[in-house]
Structures are given as C-alpha cells and as structure tokens.
C-alpha cells in the first residue's frame, strides 16, 4: 500500500480556535477532516482544535494521540480502494482531570471562539419521558452542588463561560456535533439548565449572549479494533487508535457564530437556516433504517451490517419500511430527492469495507428508539396509517432485549438499562402491553388501542413464527 498522506500545511503555524470535547472516532473522521481540508487550502489556520474530554477513556485517547504529535490516522473505506490520510487539525489536548481544571482553563482562553462536542446522544441528560433536560440527573445535581469542581462537560462549560463573563471576554459559540434533532437547542437546555441550578444570573446571561447553532452530522465511523489497527499497519503505521470511515460525509449547520467561524463551506459543509429539514431526513431515513435492520440481524446471528443487507429478508424489510412508512412522512429538503437519498443510504449500509456491526446498531435502544423509530410511528398514526413495519421493528427490539437470539444463544447486555429491559421483555412475551407500557420510551402510545393491538400482533408473530417469518409476512416475501 501507499504511504500515509501527511498534512501538506505547516502545522507549526496553526493556532487554536476550537476546543472539542469528545475525541472519539466520529469527531476525528468528521469535523477534524473538514478542518484538515480547509487548512490544506491555506485557509483559517487560526481555527485549529484543542482536544478535551471528561471520561477515563479520554485520558487514554490523549496518551495515544500525544505519542503521534496529535495526528489522527483516518482510512476511508471505499469499495474501489482504501485511502489513508493523517489528519493534523488538532494541535493539543487538555489534561484530563476529575475537576476539569485544565479543560476550563482551555475554554477560558480568549482565542477559543467555538466549543464543540461529541458526547453521544445519551450524554445530554435528557429525560426520555419528557424529551427535556433533566435537572435531577445525579451528575447534574452533583455539578450544581459543586460548580467549581464540575465532573461533566456541561459543568465545565458553565464554569468557563462564567469566568469569561467576569473577565469581559466574549463568549464562545457552543456547537453540538452529536446525532440529535435540534442538537443546538438541546445543548442550550443542558448548559442553561445546569447554570440555573447554581447561578440564575449566569444562566440568564448565557441564554442571552451564547449561540447554540443546530447542526446535522453524518458519517459512518465504526469502532476501532484489531482489523482497523492492521489496516494502519499495512500503510506502515503503528497507530493504536486509527479511524476507519465511509467515503460519504455531510455537515449542515445554522450560521450563528457571533465570535466567528472557519469557512467550512469551502470544503463541503452547508450553512442553512433549514437544518431541521436535513436532520429529520437523516434521523428518520438513516438512523431509523439502522434501527430497523440491527435487531433482526442480531437475532438471526448476522454480525455485520453489509451482511444483513445481503440477506434478502432484511434488505426487503428495510426497503419497504423506508418506501412506505418513512419517506412519506419526511418533509421536503432543499436540493434533495428523498427516494434518491434512501437509495444512497441503502448503498452505504451495503458497503462491505465498513464492516460495521449489527451489535453497534442495537446499542442503547432505550435512548435511540424514542428518537429514531417512535416519532415515525406517531407521524404515521397522525396521517391515518398504522405502520406495521415500524411496529414490527419495535417488536424486534423487544424480542432482542429478552436476552437470547433465534438460535437460543445468550445476548450480552447492550443497553445502559439492560436488566430492566430484559425483565420487561420477558414479561411482554405473554403480555405485550408490558413493553409498550414503558411510558418513558413510548409515552402515551399505550393509550391507543389500535397501536396496542398492532404491537401485540407483531410481537406474537415474532415469538410464534420466528424472525424470518415475521419479516416475510410484512414484505409479502
């Protein structure tokens, strides 16, 4: 293989403009590559990244990246041939400390004009029953009681913003890069909500003066393991934390950056006031599609996503759900044909080079189902359609959480609430209403007799006839 492509700009001339919290694979395959491309154009060299994190895993990532001068190995897995690059957009990484002093100090620096985050969908302390910020979450309550020693990213952000206000320094913009609808609004709720618990005046100041643009992000970047490290080694690199990703990427952002921003539109990012339309398209079609295929694949003993797409039963299931129940409820998106987008999604899922796992798609269903599947069920019911495919997808999630697959093999825990979900799924085998009675997940859908009947029928079909037969019944195959 060819040698890894090194940055062609002078990294010694980069200066920081962004602190990014959460240096996982997605950030390094997405935001960091956009900035790397921009720096290659000779543009905006005062917008380099300082990495940061608040978890033990972040300390391990810092150690690994420090040993390679903060460079990230990013391998694009195109079926026509792999492409490797060394991404140099990051130039430092704050020490990871339980009280987050180094992170707060980094964010206090006047030249930091954006603080961005990838802290996962579940990292925003959202009450699933209300969809709103949960001030009673234990971590939030702890930060509110000790705001000078915050343990969460949001506590550190509040402390840094308070220090900047007191010093007369313009606040930074907070840019969520997590896969949430209205991620900027959700980040605002978390930051302002936490500040209000200890300093209402600061909360009001943040709410008035700090920008939280919404953004839609998209790129598949699987977890790193021996396979990915071997790919890096084939390019002559011994990197313990390489990133693999698909060739496709997309970033759609609201243009609300009072302290300035890099010219990311020059390298493919889209700035628009209609981010919500793009994110609805992506979350319903792509993330909903992932949720639809992950559980039947795992139940049938299929390890990889591309292998699931090669299974005619699962591919037909996905295609019919998307065509009949998801695409019709997605609002129009400027410059996009939704059916073409659906086909692009299916091709991306089928890329054998990605080797994404069905287990990853199944992780944290208690957080993902209320965002990716249940809203589409609600929208179909509102238009007078009982969506049999989406309901079957949710029944397959219930069957998965019972804890054994179709072969009788034990399913390892795969959700922060696994024990509760397993107990509920086992009770639902005889009484499906037990499952959809989880109001924190399904809300008031359990009050709809037609939905209750449809879900019960789907779950009984899965248990009595099997996963494959249930898929075939829906698709007519």
């Amino acid at each position: 293989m060819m040698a890894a492509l090194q940055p062609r700009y002078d990294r010694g001339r980069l200066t920081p403009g962004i602190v990014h919290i959460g240096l996982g694979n997605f950030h390094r395959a997405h935001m960091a590559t956009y900035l790397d491309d921009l720096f290659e154009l000779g543009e905006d060299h005062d917008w380099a990244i300082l990495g940061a994190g608040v978890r033990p895993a972040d300390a391990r990532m810092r150690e690994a990246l420090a040993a390679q001068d903060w460079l990230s190995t990013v391998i694009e897995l195109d079926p026509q041939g792999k492409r490797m690059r060394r991404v140099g957009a990051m130039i430092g990484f704050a020490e990871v400390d339980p009280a987050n002093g180094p992170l707060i100090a980094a964010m206090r620096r006047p030249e930091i004009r954006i603080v961005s985050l990838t802290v996962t969908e579940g990292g925003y302390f959202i009450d699933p029953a209300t969809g709103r910020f949960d001030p009673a979450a234990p971590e939030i309550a702890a930060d509110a009681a000790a705001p000078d020693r915050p343990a969460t990213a949001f506590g550190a952000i509040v402390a840094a913003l308070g220090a900047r206000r007191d010093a007369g320094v313009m606040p930074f913009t907070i840019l969520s890069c997590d896969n949430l609808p209205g991620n900027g609004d959700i980040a605002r709720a978390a930051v302002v909500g936490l500040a209000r618990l200890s300093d209402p005046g600061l909360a009001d100041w943040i709410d008035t003066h700090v920008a939280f643009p919404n953004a839609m992000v998209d790129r598949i970047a699987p977890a790193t393991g021996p396979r990915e490290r071997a790919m890096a080694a084939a390019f002559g690199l011994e990197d313990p934390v390489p990133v693999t990703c698909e060739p496709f990427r997309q970033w759609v952002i609201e243009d609300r950056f009072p302290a300035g921003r890099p010219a990311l539109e020059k390298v493919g990012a889209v700035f628009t006031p209609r981010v919500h339309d793009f994110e609805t398209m992506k979350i319903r079609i792509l993330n909903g599609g992932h949720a639809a295929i992950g559980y039947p694949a795992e139940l049938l003993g299929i390890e990889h996503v591309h292998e699931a797409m090669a299974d005619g039963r699962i591919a037909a299931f996905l295609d019919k759900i998307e065509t009949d129940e998801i695409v019709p409820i997605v609002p129009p998106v400027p410059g996009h044909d939704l059916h073409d987008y659906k086909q692009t999604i299916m091709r991306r899922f089928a890329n054998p080079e990605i080797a994404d796992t069905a287990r990853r798609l199944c992780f944290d269903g208690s957080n993902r189902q209320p965002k990716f599947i249940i809203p589409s069920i609600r929208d179909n019911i509102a238009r007078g359609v009982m969506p049999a495919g989406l309901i079957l997808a949710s029944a397959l999630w219930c069957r998965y959480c019972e804890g054994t697959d179709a072969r009788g093999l034990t399913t390892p825990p795969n959700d922060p609430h696994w024990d509760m979900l397993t107990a509920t799924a086992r009770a639902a085998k005889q009484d499906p209403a037990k499952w959809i009675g989880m109001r924190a997940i399904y809300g008031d859908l359990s009050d709809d007799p037609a939905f209750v009947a449809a879900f019960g029928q789907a779950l009984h079909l899965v248990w009595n006839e099997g996963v494959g037969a249930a898929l075939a019944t829906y698709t007519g195959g």
Side-chain angles (χ1 to χ4, degrees), residues 135-200:
E139 299 96 324
I140 293 298
D143 274 8
D148 57 336
R149 292 182 59 82
T152 71
F154 298 110
I157 288 170
V158 170
L161 285 170
R164 289 175 74 120
R165 179 199 61 176
D166 295 345
V169 175
M170 186 176 188
F172 44 73
T173 295
I174 297 173
L175 176 63
S176 171
C177 300
D178 279 299
N179 188 33
L180 291 162
N183 54 13
D185 298 331
I186 290 170
R188 176 187 291 276
V191 174
V192 174
L194 174 54
R196 198 165 299 286
L197 297 175
S198 59
D199 189 339

Side-chain angles (χ1 to χ4, degrees), residues 398 420 423-439 442 452 455 459:
C398 174
M420 179 276 292
T424 307
R426 290 173 179 171
K429 185 175 180 180
Q430 300 302 322
D431 182 4
K434 297 286 188 182
W435 186 259
I436 55 177
M438 295 187 293
R439 297 186 82 89
Y442 287 93
V452 172
F455 181 84
L459 187 60

